[in-house]
Amino acid sequence: MSVLQIYYGPDTELAFSKIPVIVERPGHHQPMGGHVLYLDGHVEYLRYPGKFPMSKSFIEGLYELDALGRKPPRPENLDGRSREDDAESAKG
């Protein structure tokens, strides 16, 4: 496996170390908090509530975004077709 590293200069190194890429939702560990993967590749465990990105307002915003990705189940009788009918038509 190879990793490509591009050097953008000293200013970007500092910036990359502060940009969160993946934020673990709080509640999986004690003390309350989560792991954060930053753009430069390092991972930190931050307590919740705490500094960005483990602040209360940021985490609440993430949960709101999570909820947008969940599609409500389609009612079976909306168009008279069942989910089984949809599955059959998807097969071809």
Side-chain angles (χ1 to χ4, degrees), residues 16-91:
F16 286 1
S17 70
K18 296 180 183 237
I19 299 172
V21 177
I22 299 174
V23 179
E24 178 183 32
R25 308 308 188 261
H28 301 283
H29 308 283
Q30 289 298 328
M32 183 71 84
H35 292 96
V36 180
L37 170 67
Y38 290 90
L39 190 57
D40 69 348
H42 85 277
V43 176
E44 286 183 36
Y45 183 83
L46 300 177
R47 288 189 175 192
Y48 174 83
K51 66 179 186 173
F52 172 81
M54 208 48 74
S55 65
K56 185 175 187 223
S57 61
F58 189 79
I59 295 299
E60 286 175 356
L62 287 181
Y63 280 120
E64 288 177 20
L65 289 172
D66 289 344
L68 291 175
R70 295 189 187 108
K71 296 181 179 160
R74 181 173 174 244
E76 290 193 21
N77 61 357
L78 187 62
D79 60 3
R81 296 168 54 96
S82 70
R83 289 193 175 108
E84 290 81 19
D85 292 338
D86 288 343
E88 286 299 316
S89 64
K91 289 180 184 176

